[in-house]
Amino acid sequence: MKLKPCLTALALACAAGASFQANAQEMKAEVIHWWTSGGESAAVKVFAEQFAKAGGTWVDTAIAGGVNARTAAINRVVGGTPPTAMQFNTGKQFDELVENDLLRDVDQIATEQKWKSFMPQAIIDATSRNGKMYAVPVNIHGQNWLWLSKAALEKAGASEPANWDEALVALEKLKAAGLIPLAFSGQKVWERGLFNAVLVGKGGTALWASIHGKRDPAAARSPEFRAVAETYGKLRGYIDPGAPGRNWNDATNLVIQGKAGMQIMGDWAKGEFAAAGQIAGKEFGCAILSNEGGYVMGGDVFAFPKLKDPAQQKAQLVLAKVMLEPETQIRFAQKKGSIPVRLDLDVSSLDACAQKAVKLLEDKKHQVAAQEMLSPPALTGAMEDVISQYWNTPAMTADAFMTKVADVLKQPF
């Protein structure tokens, strides 16, 4: 059922006016999310605190694992007991909820607050359906960061790399020094994450667009893609036997402790360094391995199920506004490791890696939409399966892998 315009207008007026400081009981908001690691927990607390300042009570429903949290949230919505808000990755994960008229749009508050004037277009597109925004983007995560232990590199006599060719040299030196060269979380989603970092960094932004955007089978048979496949395959030789099944933050901890030299992971890993008291540029370094500076933009959004209770509708709008306030955006980014989704803020208080990211995104040619923004979940899953098969089958040739990827891209997802 569509929300009545008068109710929406009234809620917006209330959210913007003096009654923002409503009774906490009226403003109770249950939020389902998957932020459970140390850095993530510290970050989500910022949202809870800012919502409390606006007169609300945050009811935290944290469920470990993105797939688990999304499934639980969707089941709640379909089953008739929806939460106030629920987390998704920036992209196509909430399409079916929109198609089945189960989400309220946030277009009016987006217009009122001029959200589209300070967000990258790719983020706006990823949260909009049929011309309306259906989710609140809260951050931008760079998915293709390289994290470095300064102590480990020094021990191995290795230099900080700027591209994948240099990274392979550094990895070999780390291996010779008896360290874990590449800290790795051997789970399918991170196997795909590592592959994507090689795809954009070694293959370039045009190849990225051809594979994930245009879904061109011919691109998967190109010499450029072969170089990506071969580089990705070489990385198997630089992980340790404990990698299979390891959580991503446990892999990050190996770098924090100096037991491993490098990790490829999104900038949510930076929250773990911060939680450990380490400083970018001092104990650890960061780099985007790319000759073109391609920065893969992902992130997180919150979507709001359609609710009948006016108090709950109001809580949703207050949450939406609070999450994008400048103070919230900066404080959240400091804890989470991401950068603000707002590109109109003073980021001088953020760490060196975050400032490097903001500088990159000032040039639109560096803004690369994440796979989740370009591909439907079914296609992303099919690609993930093929990538995982290649990673875990060292005997598979690059040619065989290229053929499998081309076959996936032919499918009518």
Side-chain angles (χ1 to χ4, degrees):
M1 180 181 293
K2 298 290 184 183
L3 292 174
K4 294 180 180 179
C6 59
L7 278 179
T8 304
L10 177 60
L12 281 167
C14 290
S19 60
F20 222 72
Q21 299 294 329
N23 180 278
Q25 190 66 27
E26 291 179 355
M27 294 270 285
K28 186 176 290 185
E30 183 193 4
V31 183
I32 293 180
H33 64 87
W34 60 78
W35 286 328
T36 58
S37 75
E40 291 172 333
S41 296
V44 77
K45 188 178 179 182
V46 172
F47 285 152
E49 291 172 348
Q50 294 297 95
F51 185 58
K53 286 182 181 179
T57 299
W58 177 286
V59 180
D60 198 75
T61 301
I63 300 173
V67 173
N68 296 334
R70 288 191 296 273
T71 300
I74 292 169
N75 286 343
R76 288 271 305 273
V77 173
V78 174
T81 58
T84 313
M86 49 194 179
Q87 181 188 3
F88 291 92
N89 290 124
T90 311
K92 299 180 177 294
Q93 293 172 347
F94 53 87
D95 277 8
E96 290 188 1
L97 292 174
V98 175
E99 291 167 2
N100 286 281
D101 201 26
L102 295 171
L103 289 186
R104 68 178 300 185
D105 72 74
V106 293
D107 212 54
Q108 280 189 267
I109 193 168
T111 300
E112 179 190 81
Q113 300 293 317
K114 298 182 173 60
W115 291 355
K116 297 178 183 179
S117 70
F118 53 65
M119 295 181 188
Q121 189 60 46
I123 301 293
I124 296 169
D125 293 344
T127 52
S128 299
R129 306 292 182 271
N130 302 317
K132 292 184 177 181
M133 291 187 74
Y134 275 90
V136 180
V138 296
N139 59 4
I140 296 174
H141 269 307
Q143 295 185 353
N144 57 320
W145 281 101
L146 173 70
W147 306 103
L148 308 155
S149 165
K150 295 274 191 177
L153 288 181
E154 182 177 353
K155 180 178 179 180
S159 301
E160 296 189 15
N163 55 51
W164 276 104
D165 291 337
E166 293 179 5
L168 290 172
V169 173
L171 288 167
E172 193 62 35
K173 289 184 177 181
L174 287 161
K175 187 175 183 178
L179 297 165
I180 299 171
L182 185 64
F184 191 63
S185 172
Q187 300 174 14
K188 288 173 73 172
V189 64
W190 306 127
E191 291 163 359
R192 174 169 62 89
L194 178 59
F195 174 79
N196 277 340
V198 180
L199 176 61
V200 72
K202 182 73 174 179
T205 56
L207 183 61
W208 176 276
S210 294
I211 296 294
H212 291 318
K214 299 174 185 175
R215 308 176 198 175
D216 180 9
R221 300 188 184 93
S222 66
E224 293 80 9
F225 193 82
R226 178 186 295 280
V228 170
E230 290 174 346
T231 298
Y232 182 62
K234 289 176 183 177
L235 297 177
R236 301 187 198 102
Y238 297 110
I239 65 171
D240 68 294
R246 178 186 287 145
N247 292 324
W248 70 264
N249 50 308
D250 292 328
T252 305
N253 198 46
L254 292 172
V255 181
I256 291 171
Q257 295 175 358
K259 295 178 180 178
M262 304 180 184
Q263 181 189 24
I264 292 289
M265 185 53 59
D267 54 14
W268 47 87
K270 184 151 53 71
E272 302 304 301
F273 287 97
Q278 294 198 357
I279 299 172
K282 186 179 178 182
E283 290 90 359
F284 73 96
C286 56
I288 296 292
L289 297 179
S290 173
N291 293 327
E292 301 176 4
Y295 191 90
V296 180
M297 300 185 305
D300 302 283
V301 304
F302 283 88
F304 303 111
K306 285 192 171 182
L307 301 173
K308 294 180 180 180
D309 182 1
Q312 281 286 287
Q313 294 175 9
K314 179 179 176 180
Q316 290 175 328
L317 290 165
V318 173
L319 267 176
K321 184 176 185 297
V322 163
M323 286 175 167
L324 285 177
E325 288 177 340
E327 180 187 351
T328 310
Q329 284 277 294
I330 293 295
R331 286 186 57 206
F332 180 82
Q334 288 170 336
K335 299 292 185 182
K336 188 65 167 64
S338 56
I339 63 172
V341 75
R342 299 184 62 139
L343 298 184
D344 63 337
L345 303 180
D346 178 1
V347 296
S348 59
S349 63
L350 299 184
D351 64 85
C353 300
Q355 292 189 44
K356 186 184 294 187
V358 172
K359 185 70 175 177
L360 274 171
L361 294 185
E362 288 176 357
D363 188 339
K364 291 184 178 180
K365 73 180 181 182
H366 296 150
Q367 298 179 7
V368 178
Q371 180 180 1
E372 294 84 359
M373 296 187 194
L374 301 173
S375 302
L379 176 55
T380 299
M383 284 288 290
E384 190 171 278
D385 288 343
V386 170
I387 291 166
S388 182
Q389 185 181 3
Y390 180 52
W391 177 261
N392 292 290
T393 312
M396 183 184 293
T397 65
D399 282 335
F401 173 60
M402 294 163 69
T403 298
K404 287 180 178 291
V405 172
D407 288 343
V408 167
L409 296 178
K410 292 176 184 176
Q411 296 180 35
F413 290 104

